[in-house]
């Protein structure tokens, strides 16, 4: 109930998923697990979607100034940190991490237009019905210091449209290109877009952090 009082909104209903973060102490091998919400999933840039996700879930060593206090053996110790997808939202936003320091990473990322499947990628209870279709692409043109945004959006009739400031026109080419920055996916159920259900105190399975 406290969660709903603090976080209840249409934005959370539509866009919020959950990550599982596991910390393992290098000294005593004890593990600590916590769950973190996300509204937009930021993935390291790679050749394709699976490679981006694999890079995101790759174990990270926390040592030196980044060392974590171990609750079991005490003191700041080196830890291994892993992140995993746990539950998925009805509408998934994915940000490609194109900006590194002062430069922009260029290159094409291959991402599916239909059937993006999280059945084996997400570990939580929502994994079994997590197939997504692309409905929008935000593109960044230019450099880190000087750029321009355009968007490609899919209509309910299946056609793609280009939005470039005040210019709107039908898009006939590929929606996979070198400037893709944010990808929008909608979860599909029985061939139709899933409708987000409103959070309810009596239905805790609908809470973003309750699965």
């Amino acid at each position: 109930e406290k969660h709903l009082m603090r976080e209840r909104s249409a934005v959370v209903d539509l866009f919020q998923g959950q990550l599982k973060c596991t910390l393992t102490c290098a000294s005593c091998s004890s593990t600590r697990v916590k769950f973190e919400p996300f509204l937009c999933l930021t993935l390291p840039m790679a050749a394709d979607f699976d490679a981006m996700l694999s890079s995101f879930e790759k174990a990270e060593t926390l040592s030196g100034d980044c060392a974590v206090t171990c609750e079991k053996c005490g003191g700041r110790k080196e830890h291994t940190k892993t992140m995993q997808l746990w539950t998925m939202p009805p509408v998934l936003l994915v940000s490609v991490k194109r900006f590194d320091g002062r430069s922009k990473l260029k290159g094409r990322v291959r991402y599916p237009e239909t059937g993006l499947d999280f059945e084996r990628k997400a570990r939580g209870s929502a994994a079994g019905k997590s197939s997504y279709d692309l409905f929008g692409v935000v593109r960044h043109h230019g450099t880190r210091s000087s750029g321009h945004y355009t968007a490609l959006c899919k209509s309910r009739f299946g056609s793609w449209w280009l939005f470039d400031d005040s210019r709107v026109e039908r898009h006939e080419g590929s929606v996979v290109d070198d400037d893709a920055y944010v990808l929008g996916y909608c979860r599909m159920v029985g061939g139709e877009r899933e409708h987000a259900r409103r959070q309810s105190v009596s239905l805790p399975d609908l809470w973003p952090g309750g699965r």
Side-chain angles (χ1 to χ4, degrees), residues 44-45 49 61 63 75 85 88 120-121 135 138 143 157 175 181 189 195 198 200 209:
M45 185 173 169
F49 199 97
T61 299
S63 60
L85 292 175
M88 304 300 296
R120 297 182 180 179
K121 300 179 179 70
F135 71 85
V138 176
T143 65
F157 303 108
V175 296
Y181 182 40
V189 178
H195 297 286
R198 192 68 175 163
S200 168

Side-chain angles (χ1 to χ4, degrees), residues 33-80:
V33 175
K34 63 178 181 178
F35 294 91
E36 301 178 358
F38 70 87
L39 294 175
C40 181
L41 184 64
T42 301
L43 299 180
M45 185 173 169
D48 57 40
F49 199 97
D50 284 344
M52 289 197 300
L53 192 58
S54 295
S55 180
F56 174 79
E57 294 189 332
K58 185 178 180 180
E60 175 186 4
T61 299
L62 304 179
S63 60
D65 293 339
C66 296
V68 178
T69 300
C70 179
E71 297 179 347
K72 183 176 181 180
C73 60
R76 292 173 61 85
K77 301 293 178 66
E78 178 179 308
H79 279 68
T80 299

Side-chain angles (χ1 to χ4, degrees), residues 95-112:
S95 174
V96 180
K97 195 173 182 180
R98 286 193 176 273
F99 300 104
D100 183 14
R102 297 183 178 180
S103 62
K104 177 184 175 182
L105 302 177
K106 297 182 180 180
R108 177 165 298 190
V109 176
R110 296 187 301 274
Y111 46 89

